[in-house]
Amino acid sequence: MREPVPNYPTRMGAPQGAGLISCAARFIIVCASAQERPLPGSTTHPLRALCAAAIAPLADVGIFIAALDAGLAPNLAHLVSFACAALLNYGLTVRFAVAGAGRSRDAHLYGHLLVVAAAAVFLRGGVLSLLIGWGLPPQWSILFAVAVTGLVIRLGNALCLSTGTWTLGSGVYWRALAIALIACGAGLRLIYSSQMELLPEETYYWNYSQHLDIGYLDHPPMVAWLIRLGTLVCGNTEFGVRVGALCVGAVASLFVYRLTRNLFDEASALVAVVLMQVLPFFFFSGILMTPDAPLTAAWAALLYYLERALIAGRSDAWWRAGVCLGLGLLSKYTIALLVPAMLIFMVWDAQSRHWLRNWRPYFAGVLGLVIFSPVIFWNATHEWASFVFQTSRRLAEAPRFSSHRLFLSALVLLTPAGMLGLCATLWGTSAATTMDGVPDARRRRLFLQLAILTPLAVFFVFSLRHEVKFDWTGTLWTAAVPALGYSIASLHETAPGKVLAWTRKAWVPTLVILLLIYGAAFHYLAFGLPGVGYGKQMELVPVGWRDLGEQMAAVEAGVREHTGAEPLIVGMDRYETASQLAFYAPDRARSVAQTSSDTLFGGVGLMYKRWFPAAQAAGRTVLLVGWNARDLAGPKVESHLEKADPVREGVLSRDGKLIRHFYYRVGYGYHGAGTPN
């Protein structure tokens, strides 16, 4: 078993991030050397080797251009040209390398080569789509896409031929595999973040940023502040909205790396970063701009500084913990659940009880509240609206048992391998022996157990009589990542029990499958997949909002020309349609002030009720937009209008494929407010 990291912030004078940087540097050196020398078994004649290596990329470009000339769409043309080039590359170079390595009958090798090819095609599809979206002709874009393909294939194949098994934590090249998984996860997010249409939640929070404040009804303001900063730097684009999530996702991974390194060792810390880049909740919180993105970064940082204070005994960590608590509260209120978890730890753990008599933990709490005070002030001046919304309003909902959803969400967010590995490491019958080589093993295990169980217990009790959303528990699993990293990286030789042994074998296939699913999903959303249509649930599959924005802008212009007045666009649901129409309008700055939701007709509306009171819309012409014709007709709507045109139907499509129908209607002389929330 590896020697655990000593319980202080640096090792041999090196910064804590040095280990991760060193692993990345070693991976680059290995890949560079693989580029410099011919693959095993390939021809050693320089000119012949160069020609063999050049044929596949040239064929890739030529077949792609020919396919475009034949009328194929770019997304299909690039898949056809890639398949042909991959077969050529295998026949001219790879098969000789496989034979030279004596692995012609190794089924695992061919599986690994297919994984590399699949990763390459999804990354290259993203690059191709991105460049075409920037206005570069497909015939030129394919050159850059082929270059990415060649780099990924070359490095990936070198890794495949270097090792027969893919494992994390052991083996000659396991760190190279870890860096490759991290790079693939980060690359997918970076390449596709600007191409996929925003989810309704993201455009709703973008509307937050356009109505900048220190508080909102349903969430604290951090998500709005990050989006405002991102759009100021990168523009009101998808990337501008999401760049904050990309940044705080990197921050979360850094603090988890440092936390795991302190609790266990550097190998476990590197594996923990892999998990942070690939596990479903952390992968999506690192690209989707929701309150969970900054919350996860603050949660990871708070855990790190609490570990420094409680386990390492660093008194200066307390004020940093207070800052992280305050920033977390500005992101989402659930970070407060870590406070009772750590109080329980201080009462339970004899070595930590002295902190209960020390002023520093209390100062940290006060500091966190001071940072959080703008939200307290906003609530005090708005009838405590946000606190009521998140507490008594949810408790007043109709009883509904949902504990099974809580379990299912954990299964999805952690994966089956993660759930089993976590239970076996921290709570299984062998838990007492799995950390025998770690100093203060009992205290470290208790720290992680309470950081997970305390918030989870609150959600479990709530789920007995109320509905829980699928992502509510996502952030609390941050404390599970160090334990999972340790179970993968440091227990490969002495793991007691079959469960840990099985989960360790299952991890790499699980992570690879997840990355391929993400790549296929992103390719589908941004570039399309030949023969695959688009689902009607645009709230979950964000394809078609750009088309809807363009069509409704044309209708709006017609209404403006006909009436001489500026119509108010009303999305006939809580916030989804209104938020998307505001963002995907040609003139986003103007559309924010001209778009509202069903709150004008008695709906909930959330912040739209405060942004657009019914009195401000009195007498205006309204353009109603919805997904069901019935939502635009009937007494509920017509009683608020002097007159209205008939309901009309529109069609959303992409690349000639039907997405769904939508409905719109022009109403005149709006009057009256809806029922209160």
Side-chain angles (χ1 to χ4, degrees), residues 405-493:
R405 289 173 58 88
L406 192 67
F407 173 79
L408 182 61
S409 69
L411 193 65
V412 172
L413 298 178
L414 274 184
T415 74
M419 280 199 68
L420 289 174
L422 181 65
C423 292
T425 304
L426 293 182
W427 291 287
T429 56
S430 58
T433 59
T434 54
M435 298 184 184
D436 275 349
V438 179
D440 291 330
R442 182 197 59 80
R443 301 182 68 223
R444 298 177 189 224
R445 187 166 62 246
L446 179 63
F447 178 85
L448 296 178
Q449 287 172 336
L450 290 175
I452 296 168
L453 282 181
T454 306
L456 186 61
V458 174
F459 287 119
F460 175 75
V461 172
F462 185 84
S463 72
L464 294 175
R465 289 182 57 81
H466 300 87
E467 183 178 4
V468 294
K469 293 186 178 179
F470 213 71
D471 60 339
W472 279 5
T473 63
T475 315
L476 72 87
W477 300 120
T478 306
V481 174
L484 292 175
Y486 177 74
S487 70
I488 296 169
S490 300
L491 299 177
H492 56 280
E493 295 176 352

Side-chain angles (χ1 to χ4, degrees), residues 17 52 75 240 257 357 370 384 422 459 461:
N75 60 355
Y257 172 83
R357 302 184 299 274
V370 169
W384 305 102
L422 181 65
F459 287 119
V461 172

Side-chain angles (χ1 to χ4, degrees), residues 1-8 11 261-265 307-308 311-312 351 434-446 486:
M1 181 174 295
R2 294 176 179 82
E3 181 182 353
V5 174
N7 201 16
Y8 40 82
R11 174 189 287 183
R261 189 175 184 271
N262 289 338
L263 289 172
F264 303 112
D265 56 23
E307 182 276 331
R308 290 288 82 193
I311 304 297
Q351 291 179 247
T434 54
M435 298 184 184
D436 275 349
V438 179
D440 291 330
R442 182 197 59 80
R443 301 182 68 223
R444 298 177 189 224
R445 187 166 62 246
L446 179 63
Y486 177 74

Side-chain angles (χ1 to χ4, degrees), residues 7 306-318 354-355 443:
N7 201 16
L306 286 172
E307 182 276 331
R308 290 288 82 193
L310 295 172
I311 304 297
R314 293 277 298 271
S315 59
D316 62 324
W318 280 112
H354 70 94
W355 289 117
R443 301 182 68 223

Side-chain angles (χ1 to χ4, degrees), residues 150-287:
L151 179 64
V152 174
I153 291 288
R154 178 68 177 175
L155 299 184
N157 286 356
L159 178 62
C160 293
L161 289 164
S162 298
T163 177
T165 58
W166 281 359
T167 57
L168 293 172
S170 65
V172 179
Y173 293 106
W174 79 264
R175 286 181 174 80
L177 174 62
I179 296 297
L181 293 173
I182 293 170
C184 187
L188 285 172
R189 289 197 297 272
L190 184 62
I191 291 171
Y192 283 103
S193 59
S194 63
Q195 302 182 65
M196 297 185 298
E197 296 178 28
L198 298 177
L199 288 169
E201 289 85 352
E202 293 178 284
T203 52
Y204 178 54
Y205 301 131
W206 173 79
N207 274 272
Y208 269 22
S209 73
Q210 301 303 300
H211 301 87
L212 207 60
D213 207 340
I214 58 173
Y216 300 92
L217 173 67
D218 36 348
H219 285 295
M222 182 64 78
V223 65
W225 298 349
L226 287 175
I227 292 175
R228 187 61 172 265
L229 179 61
T231 52
L232 283 175
V233 176
C234 303
N236 277 317
T237 62
E238 287 88 350
F239 184 76
V241 172
R242 288 174 171 152
V243 66
L246 294 171
C247 293
V248 296
V251 171
S253 294
L254 175 62
F255 275 106
V256 167
Y257 172 83
R258 299 178 72 184
L259 172 65
T260 308
R261 189 175 184 271
N262 289 338
L263 289 172
F264 303 112
D265 56 23
E266 192 168 315
S268 302
L270 180 58
V271 175
V273 175
V274 175
L275 299 179
M276 289 293 292
Q277 294 299 309
V278 183
L279 285 178
F281 175 81
F282 302 109
F283 180 86
F284 287 107
S285 69
I287 184 174

